[in-house]
Amino acid sequence: MTESALSQLREQLSGEVPEAVGRLGEAELRDLAHAIRDARHREGKALAAAGERALERVPRLLRGPIRKVVG
Amino acid sequence: MSRAAETLQAHTEVMKVARLLQRQPESLHYLESLGVEDLRELRDRLTETVFDAHTGSLRRLAAASRVLPVGLSASMGESVFGPLLSARLTGLLDPGRAAEMASRLPAPFLADVAVEMDPRRASDLIARIPADQIAQITAELMTRGEYVTMGRFVGHLSDEAISAALAAMDDRSLLGVVFVLEDKDGLPDLVSLLPDARVAGVIQAAADHDLWVEALDLLDHLTPQQRDDMVAATLLLEPDALDSIVAAVIAHELWEEVLPIAEHDATVQAALAARVPALPARQRRAIAKRARKTGGLERLGVFGEALAGA
């Protein structure tokens, strides 16, 4: 069971988990993996929303060039 | 590092991790079972993960900001993107342009951004912020007790900016900041930038706020001359303050760290000597070994005599 929590954390960190961290209990490893995932999701959503709001603040003339850059 | 200092440093590291993950530090208390070095390794990995999670979108936004007037970019940083996303963007912007944007933003917002930044990713930008603006941001961070944030920036500032920051900081904050520095090898250089009067001020702050774990940790990282100056300032404190040092040594096992002070004060020596028989033999031997290495047991008076039997 601990292995699956460790895998989750490994996936969130995109690589090996520091050795000492890997010795934490399953509940802790799972909590840490969830915390990383939640932080990334929260930030991704905030970024998308801010991008939309920013475009509304840009003068109309510049919206074309900005859209070209942002893609 | 004393065990007490290590415990406090581990707590500090957990605070940094919690900030990265936008969690309350208490919810990650289980991480405090890890050592300081392990926590730093974890934090480095988390920093990479969190900062690189949306690099593509952030790079495109940074590129788009070049199309806009600097003033508009700065204003949108504050009103649209906010401190967290602005912090993620800082390392991706052209440093000169980012410094110009910063010059148009208020210190409280820049302090918010500093809290969320990874200074290692924006070193070129930080170096371009004028010293007086660094002082304003420092003053803001100080009122919030953000010692951890201030400590993370120290290694990225010029001497001029550090001097300005130190001048903006009170003595209690200074002690808090130097304690959480990750690279303490630079402490002698940092302390050398302080006016002489500040050394006494820092010691007085330790006495006023019972911060002897922090003060003795600082003492442990200084040059012999700086240590002598700090010890001299300590010996000028009221007797009550010296009693509080002895109490801290006993409570937090700061026996090795207190040696530079103990060798100059007979009252401290007597108070410590009285506690030596209660120490485990192994600990007595470790303290005696350190004392012999740093000047000899005979310099410690009755405290040295008590240790000599170890």
Side-chain angles (χ1 to χ4, degrees):
Chain A
M1 275 177 81
T2 302
E3 184 54 35
S4 71
L6 199 56
S7 305
Q8 284 181 23
L9 186 55
R10 207 177 282 137
E11 190 186 323
Q12 289 302 325
L13 290 173
S14 308
E16 279 310 308
V17 173
E19 202 185 324
V21 177
R23 290 196 292 269
L24 290 170
E26 189 195 351
E28 285 83 12
L29 290 171
R30 208 179 287 283
D31 180 62
L32 199 52
H34 287 177
I36 299 168
R37 187 198 59 198
D38 292 349
R40 291 164 67 162
H41 283 183
R42 238 186 340 260
E43 216 169 297
K45 276 174 75 174
L47 190 57
E52 289 299 320
R53 285 201 308 276
L55 206 54
E56 289 166 15
R57 293 272 309 271
V58 171
R60 280 179 194 284
L61 268 174
L62 291 174
R63 286 184 194 171
I66 291 276
R67 280 210 175 89
K68 209 180 241 177
V69 176
V70 174
Chain B
M1 198 189 319
S2 68
R3 200 178 305 165
E6 189 146 350
T7 303
L8 286 175
Q9 300 274 14
H11 184 67
T12 303
E13 281 299 324
V14 173
M15 279 173 60
K16 294 181 193 176
V17 168
R19 180 161 284 157
L20 262 175
L21 298 176
Q22 299 159 55
R23 288 269 294 256
Q24 290 300 317
E26 307 78 59
S27 74
L28 296 171
H29 66 91
Y30 55 84
L31 292 177
E32 290 190 26
S33 65
L34 303 175
V36 174
E37 288 308 316
D38 293 327
L39 279 165
R40 282 192 182 144
E41 188 187 348
L42 172 64
R43 177 165 56 84
D44 281 345
R45 293 291 302 282
L46 291 172
T47 303
E48 281 173 36
T49 302
V50 171
F51 274 74
D52 294 341
H54 306 286
T55 304
S57 306
L58 289 166
R59 278 192 194 287
R60 287 193 291 277
L61 277 172
S65 81
R66 280 200 290 269
V67 178
L68 302 174
V70 170
L72 180 58
S73 292
S75 139
M76 287 208 298
E78 185 181 11
S79 61
V80 177
F81 289 97
L84 190 132
L85 296 177
S86 294
R88 300 290 187 261
L89 277 164
T90 50
L92 302 172
L93 298 167
D94 168 71
R97 192 174 156 88
E100 213 182 321
M101 285 162 67
S103 72
R104 297 164 187 245
L105 289 165
F109 176 70
L110 294 174
D112 291 340
V113 175
V115 168
E116 306 288 354
M117 272 173 75
D118 176 9
R120 294 171 301 185
R121 292 175 177 243
S123 222
D124 288 348
L125 160 64
I126 296 163
R128 287 169 194 250
I129 306 285
D132 61 338
Q133 198 175 15
I134 293 287
Q136 289 168 29
I137 300 167
T138 301
E140 188 66 36
L141 290 170
M142 189 185 72
T143 61
R144 306 179 192 183
E146 281 287 350
Y147 309 137
V148 170
T149 299
M150 290 189 273
R152 287 163 60 230
F153 278 77
V154 168
H156 302 271
L157 298 171
S158 66
D159 280 359
E160 188 196 357
I162 289 182
S163 293
L166 291 173
M169 217 180 274
D170 63 29
D171 294 324
R172 192 257 170 269
S173 303
L174 178 54
L175 203 47
V177 171
V178 296
F179 182 66
V180 298
L181 288 183
E182 282 163 33
D183 178 13
K184 300 213 175 182
D185 292 345
L187 266 177
D189 288 341
L190 190 141
V191 170
S192 72
L193 296 173
L194 290 173
D196 291 346
R198 291 298 294 273
V199 173
V202 166
I203 288 299
Q204 188 61 54
D208 293 345
H209 301 279
D210 199 18
L211 296 171
W212 292 112
V213 173
E214 288 84 346
L216 293 178
D217 183 69
L218 171 61
L219 201 63
D220 212 26
H221 289 91
L222 300 179
T223 64
Q225 180 58 53
Q226 290 172 330
R227 196 176 298 137
D228 287 350
D229 292 346
M230 205 157 268
V231 169
T234 307
L235 296 172
L236 291 174
L237 293 170
E238 296 294 318
D240 282 359
L242 293 179
D243 290 346
S244 76
I245 296 178
V246 173
V249 168
I250 294 161
H252 304 295
E253 302 197 343
L254 302 167
W255 294 89
E256 295 181 33
E257 288 76 6
V258 81
L259 294 173
I261 296 172
E263 69 181 46
H264 293 285
D265 190 277
T267 313
V268 172
Q269 289 165 6
L272 295 174
R275 300 299 295 231
V276 168
L279 295 175
R282 197 172 169 185
Q283 193 178 4
R284 284 203 304 258
R285 280 197 296 274
I287 303 164
K289 190 177 170 191
R290 171 91 176 246
R292 286 192 185 99
K293 209 170 140 188
T294 56
L297 287 175
E298 60 284 358
R299 296 173 71 177
L300 295 168
V302 289
F303 179 36
E305 287 166 20
L307 288 170

